[in-house]
Amino acid sequence: MLRMLTIGVYGFGAESFMQRLRSADVRLLLDVRQRRGVRGPEYAWANSLRLQPALADAGIASEHHLELAPTTELRQLQYAEDDGQGVGKRTRHELAPEYTRRYTTQILDNADLAPIVSALSSGVAALLCVERDPEACHRSLITQRLAEQYGVTIEHLRP
């Protein structure tokens, strides 16, 4: 049985994040962020230049999958929807329907997920983005596709 985990940055501290990955026996972290940084000192640990050495020290390999990251235009579309609903990126609970539609047709339908599925045979992998809740993040769309097309079992790691 192939298993994929997901994890966001928000709600974790550096230590609790690494502990959550270790307790789930994650061997590979797949970063699906466009910009590999997080604003604010509270989450500076999640910026790629800090996170990479911490992962290496924990024996967790990492890969950046820019081809699965939303474009700037798509992110702006979601931010506009968030503004209209009076929510922020850190408090969003779901993706806008238009964002979901466009991410699926522009990114996901063109992505080759087979290499990611192949990597799952080597151990537990986790998709990384920033949102706390997967329902508020494109990683839920990726995992939905993995489950539907490849029968991958999905688990979301939360703080």
Side-chain angles (χ1 to χ4, degrees), residues 12 20 34 66 86 96 103 117 135 140 153:
F12 283 104
R20 193 70 174 105
Q34 180 190 39
L66 185 59
Y103 178 82
V117 174
E135 302 83 9
S140 67
T153 300

Side-chain angles (χ1 to χ4, degrees), residues 67-136:
E67 76 279 8
L68 294 174
T71 63
T72 300
E73 178 187 4
L74 284 173
R75 288 191 357 262
Q76 294 302 322
L77 184 148
Q78 181 63 56
Y79 297 156
E81 182 71 20
D82 292 345
D83 288 346
Q85 294 187 10
V87 298
K89 184 177 186 178
R90 295 183 190 194
T91 57
R92 177 188 320 132
H93 294 290
E94 63 184 2
L95 293 169
E98 182 64 9
Y99 173 93
T100 298
R101 185 189 71 73
R102 289 181 55 192
Y103 178 82
T104 299
T105 59
Q106 293 175 13
I107 307 288
L108 206 48
D109 287 350
N110 297 309
D112 180 7
L113 298 177
I116 290 174
V117 174
S118 293
L120 297 177
S121 63
S122 301
V124 179
L127 291 176
L128 167 71
C129 201
V130 295
E131 289 82 5
R132 178 188 188 280
D133 297 318
E135 302 83 9

